[in-house]
Amino acid sequence: MHNTLNPVLANQPKLTALPPLSLYIHFPWCEKKCPYCDFNSHQIKDVRSNSDKNKSPGFDEERYIKALIADLETELPRIWGRQVHSIFIGGGTPSLLSANGMNELLSAIRARVNLEPDCEITMEANPGSVEAEKFAGFANAGINRVSLGIQSFQDAQLKALGRIHNGEEAKRAIEIALEHFKSVNLDLMFGLPNQTLDAARSDIETALSFKTPHLSFYNLTLEPNTYFANFPPKLPNEDEIDAIFEQNLALLEGAGYRRYEISAYARKDQECKHNLNYWRFGDYIGIGAGAHGKISFPDKITRQVRERHPEAYMQAMESKGNALIEAKEVSAKDLPFEFMLNTLRLTDGVDTITFSERTGLPLNTVSRGLDAACKKGLLDLNPNKLKATKQGLRYLNNLQEMFL
């Protein structure tokens, strides 16, 4: 069993070493806002109307990149001397950037930040914005991993999800990505409107036929403040969703993919470094509209949030030299929940010692939660691991809430 001492909250964390550091860059524009999406994304106009393939109409690329670079520079004093081991460019639809714009951005980052030699640099892309010429340019700029928002290969499902691509475009996008990038991830959803067991199987089998090294497979949920929350479609019931999940989990495992996180599957040694750093409670600089960041120091852990709307973000960078709307030190009271919120998503969990290494707090801070979770069968009994059981992964929200 885990340590059962009474919890004692330290006045402040004391970290003996700083965790790995990543960089997240948010690109806030999309061609179309999906009805299920609650991310910070803003629809742009006339993106396909410009004949110049090197430009991205509908947003001011040059101005936004300039703001991103200035934003990064504000963070340099806080991370001086530390290496960045992964970069993730998310959105929105970052593949709407021009290849030249991407090259300018990554060149500016390399000039200011010490990147690890094998730094993983991921860009999210939607199949509807994929062009072979642009992907070649992104690869030349330094992108070495692409995450494609496929969601489904079936036209009826894609239409129901408000996606701008069809099934054939999705397949062609994967083929182009595999030609240009070292690693490719496919995002797939299940529990879609009126989805059957056979339809879900077809999606996974099509995805597996491309043999990409990584797949994300997650359940469609109706998030607050989205179109679907206000006008919910007919979704499969809980038993049907469970059947889809179990069927497709067996297909994924049978094809050599290991579930290493609640919604992530990878072939051997192909896990996403960037997301692993989040889930292991690592540090990350967050730049761009609405971006969040987490930076640790020997005696504290801090979080930041930027202006959410792209225009407000750019104006703030131009007029004030920063776009922060929140910058705070995470309290010792909140650190245990934040740690567990991330690490319990990993199917292998983390070594028990990681709690103290990443929070700077003694493990007995969470002893009551650990013992309660073990007694309910949600947490592994191994005293050297913080790891959810199969039941704990199934009821992950309940497990995480035990550390609030």
Side-chain angles (χ1 to χ4, degrees):
M1 293 290 289
H2 294 279
N3 191 328
T4 57
L5 295 174
N6 288 329
V8 179
L9 284 175
N11 290 328
Q12 60 183 23
K14 294 178 177 60
L15 276 69
T16 56
L18 300 180
L21 178 66
S22 296
L23 169 62
Y24 175 75
I25 304 165
H26 192 73
F27 180 86
W29 290 284
C30 280
E31 293 188 51
K32 181 183 177 184
K33 181 78 172 179
C34 296
Y36 57 84
C37 178
D38 68 336
F39 293 123
N40 182 29
S41 60
H42 304 263
Q43 187 166 322
I44 58 178
K45 298 177 181 178
D46 304 323
V47 72
R48 293 178 181 273
S49 65
N50 196 314
S51 60
D52 185 347
K53 296 295 184 183
N54 196 44
K55 292 185 178 178
S56 300
F59 62 95
D60 191 333
E61 175 175 289
E62 183 178 350
R63 185 181 175 212
Y64 192 69
I65 290 173
K66 186 177 180 180
L68 288 173
I69 296 167
D71 198 356
L72 177 62
E73 288 176 344
T74 68
E75 288 296 294
L76 295 182
R78 289 160 40 86
I79 55 100
W80 203 253
R82 297 177 66 179
Q83 274 195 324
V84 169
H85 86 139
S86 66
I87 298 173
F88 196 101
I89 308 168
T93 308
S95 51
L96 291 174
L97 279 167
S98 70
N100 283 352
M102 184 66 75
N103 185 61
E104 179 187 350
L105 175 60
L106 292 179
S107 295
I109 291 168
R110 291 188 195 95
R112 290 162 175 79
V113 176
N114 181 16
L115 300 184
E116 288 187 1
D118 60 346
C119 184
E120 175 191 88
I121 306 178
T122 302
M123 176 188 72
E124 289 186 330
N126 285 338
S129 61
V130 167
E131 298 168 4
E133 187 179 340
K134 276 184 81 173
F135 264 27
F138 290 145
N140 289 334
I143 301 292
N144 53 32
R145 185 176 183 274
V146 162
S147 180
L148 288 172
I150 302 296
Q151 316 313 357
S152 176
F153 291 96
Q154 296 168 52
D155 291 351
Q157 294 286 10
L158 291 167
K159 185 176 181 180
L161 291 172
R163 305 296 286 174
I164 64 170
H165 67 276
N166 60 36
E168 287 306 311
E169 287 174 325
K171 294 172 188 176
R172 179 59 185 147
I174 298 169
E175 291 169 352
I176 295 171
L178 288 169
E179 289 173 11
H180 293 288
F181 301 103
K182 177 182 174 183
S183 184
V184 177
N185 168 63
L186 306 182
D187 273 348
L188 294 169
M189 282 184 175
F190 69 97
L192 305 181
N194 301 304
Q195 189 177 42
T196 65
L197 201 59
D198 286 344
R201 182 186 185 95
S202 175
D203 271 347
I204 284 291
E205 288 178 338
T206 303
L208 291 175
S209 71
F210 290 97
K211 297 182 170 58
T212 60
H214 194 285
L215 289 167
S216 299
F217 179 55
Y218 54 96
N219 189 9
L220 172 63
T221 54
L222 305 183
E223 300 291 348
N225 303 315
T226 62
Y227 181 86
F228 272 3
N230 294 321
F231 303 96
K234 178 174 171 50
L235 302 180
N237 62 40
E238 189 173 335
D239 289 341
E240 291 169 331
I241 289 173
D242 285 347
I244 289 171
F245 173 76
E246 293 297 338
Q247 167 193 261
N248 288 8
L249 175 61
L251 289 169
L252 286 160
E253 291 179 341
Y257 291 83
R258 188 178 78 88
R259 186 189 190 196
Y260 70 97
E261 188 269 343
I262 195 77
S263 302
Y265 302 76
R267 295 184 181 275
K268 184 175 173 58
D269 299 324
Q270 295 296 317
E271 295 86 356
C272 176
K273 291 181 182 179
H274 188 88
N275 286 341
L276 275 175
N277 194 40
Y278 288 153
W279 298 323
R280 290 171 177 161
F281 209 52
D283 281 355
Y284 51 96
I285 307 161
I287 61 172
H292 292 233
K294 169 187 172 282
I295 303 292
S296 300
F297 299 88
D299 61 344
K300 63 183 177 182
I301 295 171
T302 63
R303 288 199 179 275
Q304 295 180 332
V305 183
R306 265 80 175 159
E307 286 279 4
R308 182 175 175 86
H309 194 278
E311 180 60 32
Y313 168 78
M314 290 185 286
Q315 285 185 8
M317 289 308 308
E318 292 159 356
S319 62
K320 299 189 300 182
N322 81 72
L324 294 178
I325 57 171
E326 185 177 320
K328 67 176 184 178
E329 183 176 330
V330 184
S331 70
K333 181 172 68 72
D334 292 335
L335 277 172
F337 175 68
E338 290 203 11
F339 177 88
M340 295 297 185
L341 190 67
N342 288 278
T343 56
L344 292 177
R345 293 175 63 95
L346 294 166
T347 59
D348 288 341
V350 295
D351 293 338
T352 308
I353 195 172
T354 308
F355 178 83
S356 295
E357 289 176 345
R358 297 291 161 90
T359 66
L361 302 173
L363 185 64
N364 61 29
T365 303
V366 290
S367 60
R368 289 178 182 168
L370 295 177
D371 286 345
C374 285
K375 287 174 182 174
K376 289 192 173 183
L378 301 178
L379 198 69
D380 197 289
L381 294 174
N382 183 346
N384 298 315
K385 280 281 187 183
L386 297 173
K387 175 184 174 182
T389 60
K390 186 176 180 180
Q391 189 81 341
L393 288 172
R394 180 181 172 88
Y395 297 104
L396 184 61
N397 289 345
N398 301 67
L399 172 58
Q400 291 164 331
E401 286 169 1
M402 299 181 79
F403 299 94
L404 266 174

